[in-house]
Each structure stands twice: as C-alpha cells, then as structure tokens.
Amino acid sequence: MKLTVQHAAKATAGRVFHAARFPEHLTIVTDTRSIRPGDVFLALRGERFDGHAYLAQAVAGGAAAVIIDEPASVIAEVPTLLVADTKRAYMSLAGAVREEFHGQVIGITGSTGKTTTKYLLAQLLAGAYGDENVLASPANENNEIGVSKLLLSASEHHRVLVVEMGARHQGDIAELVRIARPQVGVLTNIGDAHLEIFGSREGLARTKWGLFSLGAQAVLNARDSESALRAASLPAPPLWFGAGEPGPPGVYITQADKLILTHGGSPLELSLDIRLPGAHNRANLAAALAAALLSGVSPEHLARMVPSLALPAGRYETIAIENGTRLIYDAYNANTAGMIAALDAFADEDAERRIAVLASMAEIGADAPAMHERIGAHAASRGVDVLLVSGDFAESVAAGAVAAGLPAERIVTYGENAEAARWLQRHARPRDVVLLKGSRKYKMEEIVSALRSSHTGRAVHGTSA
C-alpha cells in the first residue's frame, strides 16, 4: 500500500524534518540487514537491542529516511520522522495501511494449531487466487511487531491477508485486532498454553476472545468447550468446524475423510484425499477450509487441493536416518493438547518400537505436575515402548507413565540433549520410530542435529501438532 510521509506523520503524531526529501512512498524496514536504497529505517527497541544504535549503518546502507523517538539521535540533513515511541508508531503505521487495504483480512489465533491452520489456509487461498494475491504471516511472527510488519508489506494486488495472532499478555489479541481489523476470525481452540502468564483459563479465554472485539465473523471449534460457552455473546452466529461427526452448522471432516458442510442451505458431502497425520490436523484442516469458504472459494475447488497440502517445518516432521530409524520432530512447542495429539498420531506409526523423547512443557501454571503426569499416562496408554524424559517435570511424566503400566526399566531420564542423542545412537534400531516432543525452551532440535551429524539424515515430509 502507498504510504506518504504526510500520512505517516498524521498516523503517528510525529514531527517531520526535511519532509521534501522523503521518498514519495514509504517502505518501512526495521532491520539494517534488509535495507535497500530508498527504504525508511524505523528504529525499534527491544530487551537486548536498540535500533537507534544502527542509524548511521542504516543510512550508509541506503536508507533514505529514518523514524526515531530519541531527539538526540537526529542526524543532520537526514530526513527524519520523530515520534513519541517507535514501537507504537510502527503499529500506527500498520493500522494506517490497513485503512487503505480493500481486500479481506483473516485473523487466526488459538492455544494450539494456529500456525498450522494459517499455513494450510494460505495454501488453499494461493491455490484458488494465486500466490501473488495472498499474503500470510511468515513463520510465527504473530506479535505486534510481526502483525505490523505483515500489514506494512501488503499491496494493492493482494486479495487476502492471513494474519496469525499470538498472545503473551492479557489483552494482546484485542490490540492486534485494532491494528489488523480482520473481517473473519478463526479461533482454533482455548487450551492450557501459557496459563502461567494468564493466571487462569478464564483470563486466557478472555484474551483469545478479543479476536472478535471488532465484529469479525467467528469461525469456532465445535469440540472446544470454552468456545461453546462464549458463542452466544457473538453478534452473529459462528461458523463451526471440527473433526468427527457433524455438530452445529459448519464444516466437518469425518474419520472416513468426508467433508460435510451443514451450513447455508442443503448439506453437502465431498470425499477428501487427506495426507496429513493425526485427528488434530483434521481439525486444523477443517478450520482452514471453513475460512477459505468464507473467502469465496468453492467446496469442490477446496476438495481438489487437499491432497497437495503440506504442514510447516517442525510439526510432526519425519526425518529418515541412515540406519533405518525414523525421527518425528514435533518440538516447535508444546502444551497438553498438543502433546496428546502428537502421541495419538504417533500411536498410528508403523514401527517395530515406538520411542518417545518428551521434554517438559512450559508456562502452564500451578497444575503443571498433574498435567505432566497426564502426558506420561497417555504415552503409556498409546503404546509407547520406551520413554525418554527431561526438563523441569520429567519426574511427573515418568510417574504418570509408571502408574499407567509402563515398566520403570523402559523409562530413561536424561539431562542434556546430547545425552538423549547418545542414547538413541546406541539403542535405536532399524524400523524404530522416535518422537521428539517438548517445549521450545528445551531446544530439542539439538537432538536432531546430533543424530544427523552421526548419520546422513534427510527430511522426507512434514506434518504437525
């Protein structure tokens, strides 16, 4: 979208120096490594960096102008927009661009599955409208900086923006909604992620429900109890989605891989060729299909695209090791629902032995020991043959597994990731399959790297939690 310095100054209540020398249209960047001649460098400030320290580098790299909030950092003769706070200014500029965008904006949040749902939805929309007409949040850039960056990247030719929204504090989602103003809001679920931060499930639910604070059409999980309780507060009926038998009017994928639509007229049933593992990914796919339908894509067109869908890296990603062992890396992040979903999918793997390497979950609050015991019990009940555990709540996972019948001699507690890698190098056999699942805090990708360094590994497909 075209943003002028006059528009920027109005949106940020900033003071302009050398206005006539600003570019006609502003391209805002916050990283000096990506600056191209003519860009405008905005000096963000974080816990371990301050963009104001890189102003000279930005100008030397081709920045035509800068946006700052420190009067003492004004560089003589360099076109400058001086604002009260560069982070707030970045968000305000993103909001100004959103005002000029006339396409559709779809917001996605939830305790689990939001990145996967975003990834699937972006593929469906790109297949319908073309890659160049769909813009989606990259990786997990889902906070106020990432959402602002996405909006500032939008142009007139984009037809749909798919905006992932994450929360680290109460009220975060509503703040992101004020920037992005989605017409459609997909809430994958309200689980137990970050309960330590939000204090309670009620606090978490209230924050997630901020997705609908400006009237977005709600797309809700029919199996999510919190969404069911809150749906009556919406100004319009939601479009429901789910895996399993149909519930309230919406979009459902059955165990027989049938797409059933029960909203907006006569029910419609279509066959799907789904190549994604796990019931949880059927729910993520149903959410993506529901949002794509609201974007105007026909059910028949969507059904034809399903076989080609892939999942993002780090979600149930299968890696073949030379000795015949398969690794399943699903340690992008972890909470109770995601751990259970991964173990359920893991139970369906064809293998001689199933070895689960489970690091602890993070930020799940005072009930963490009981939640970890539940994970251990679920691992035992789903046919895990050997269990490796680590992290702050390794003992709780082990205790839950033993209580559910897994012999203690099949449980290994490890400290560093290198220990787990060495154990696997010594004990994993051809036809074994190994699940790596845990919080990002525990950097389980180190296990993958160690095993790849001892064997030539190659990723063979990606799938998710």
Side-chain angles (χ1 to χ4, degrees):
M1 307 300 292
K2 295 178 179 179
L3 182 68
T4 67
V5 65
Q6 292 80 12
H7 199 180
K10 181 180 179 181
T12 62
R15 181 182 175 191
V16 181
F17 297 83
H18 309 298
R21 293 167 50 196
F22 267 81
E24 181 180 3
H25 300 119
L26 311 188
T27 300
I28 311 295
V29 297
T30 61
D31 189 335
T32 55
R33 294 169 295 183
S34 60
I35 284 179
R36 296 176 297 181
D39 287 346
V40 176
F41 177 68
L42 184 143
L44 286 174
R45 188 182 290 104
E47 292 181 3
R48 293 181 295 276
F49 70 91
D50 185 349
H52 293 81
Y54 299 92
L55 291 172
Q57 181 179 333
V59 173
V66 297
I67 301 175
I68 62 176
D69 60 18
E70 292 180 351
S73 295
V74 173
I75 302 175
E77 303 306 314
V78 174
T80 299
L81 175 60
L82 179 62
V83 299
D85 180 276
T86 50
K87 179 180 174 182
R88 301 304 307 182
Y90 197 46
M91 297 164 65
S92 296
L93 292 170
V97 167
R98 171 64 182 92
E99 288 182 4
E100 302 300 318
F101 181 70
H102 300 298
Q104 185 179 48
V105 177
I106 301 173
I108 300 176
T109 193
S111 295
T112 59
K114 56 183 176 291
T115 300
T116 296
T117 300
K118 173 201 67 182
Y119 198 77
L120 295 174
L121 175 58
Q123 292 173 80
L124 292 170
L125 295 174
Y129 302 134
D131 287 337
E132 70 281 3
N133 295 316
V134 178
L135 185 63
S137 302
N140 65 331
E141 295 183 8
N142 58 23
N143 62 7
E144 63 273 25
I145 301 303
V147 170
S148 297
K149 178 182 177 181
L150 180 76
L151 291 168
L152 286 164
S153 301
S155 65
E156 293 87 347
H157 69 257
H158 287 121
R159 180 165 177 169
V160 186
L161 306 184
V162 183
V163 186
E164 181 180 342
M165 299 179 177
R168 297 288 299 175
H169 307 91
Q170 293 202 29
D172 276 358
I173 300 300
E175 183 170 44
L176 297 178
V177 165
R178 285 192 290 272
I179 303 171
R181 294 194 288 285
Q183 295 104 327
V184 174
V186 180
L187 178 56
T188 60
N189 50 54
I190 300 171
D192 53 32
H194 308 308
L195 286 181
E196 187 174 283
I197 294 171
F198 291 96
S200 66
R201 186 178 294 274
E202 169 61 26
L204 175 62
R206 190 166 53 248
T207 292
K208 296 295 186 184
W209 210 252
L211 182 60
F212 313 115
S213 56
L214 292 183
Q217 166 65 54
V219 179
L220 299 179
N221 189 337
R223 316 302 179 207
D224 183 61
S225 58
E226 288 287 347
S227 294
L229 287 172
R230 291 172 175 269
S233 68
L234 295 168
L239 178 62
W240 296 93
F241 69 87
E245 292 306 308
V251 178
Y252 298 90
I253 298 175
T254 69
Q255 290 184 338
D257 288 354
K258 299 289 185 181
L259 173 63
I260 299 180
L261 309 181
T262 61
H263 71 288
S266 300
L268 176 65
E269 180 177 315
L270 297 170
S271 294
L272 298 178
D273 180 6
I274 301 174
R275 303 178 185 183
L276 310 175
H280 61 297
N281 277 323
R282 279 167 167 70
N284 293 333
L285 176 57
L289 291 169
L293 288 168
L294 291 177
S295 293
V297 188
S298 73
E300 294 77 11
H301 191 97
L302 292 171
R304 288 193 295 271
M305 287 189 282
V306 166
S308 65
L309 296 177
L311 297 174
R315 273 77 168 181
Y316 213 87
E317 181 179 2
T318 300
I319 301 167
I321 301 298
E322 274 190 347
N323 72 345
T325 302
R326 281 185 298 127
L327 302 181
I328 297 174
Y329 174 66
D330 194 5
Y332 171 80
N333 219 331
N335 57 30
T336 306
M339 296 283 272
I340 288 173
L343 288 165
D344 286 344
F346 189 54
D348 293 331
E349 295 289 339
D350 181 19
E352 183 176 313
R353 291 188 306 170
R354 297 181 186 86
I355 301 171
V357 183
L358 304 182
S360 297
M361 301 177 284
E363 299 176 347
I364 57 173
D367 291 335
M371 290 181 182
H372 282 85
E373 287 184 16
R374 180 184 174 195
I375 296 305
H378 197 74
S381 71
R382 298 299 283 153
V384 167
D385 296 293
V386 182
L387 179 63
L388 278 67
V389 294
S390 73
D392 295 339
F393 299 97
E395 291 183 2
S396 296
V397 177
V402 169
L406 186 65
E409 59 268 24
R410 294 191 193 175
I411 301 173
V412 177
T413 300
Y414 69 93
E416 301 296 323
N417 287 325
E419 295 178 46
R422 285 193 295 270
W423 190 96
L424 292 169
Q425 287 164 353
R426 289 195 300 266
H427 299 287
R429 306 190 295 251
R431 294 263 315 138
D432 285 350
V433 61
V434 179
L435 172 67
L436 305 178
K437 182 69 177 174
S439 170
R440 282 287 303 123
K441 170 182 176 180
Y442 296 101
K443 299 180 180 179
M444 298 185 80
E445 67 275 8
E446 294 175 352
I447 300 174
V448 178
S449 297
L451 294 174
R452 276 178 158 164
S453 67
S454 61
H455 300 286
T456 302
R458 56 188 177 86
V460 294
H461 69 271
T463 52
S464 160

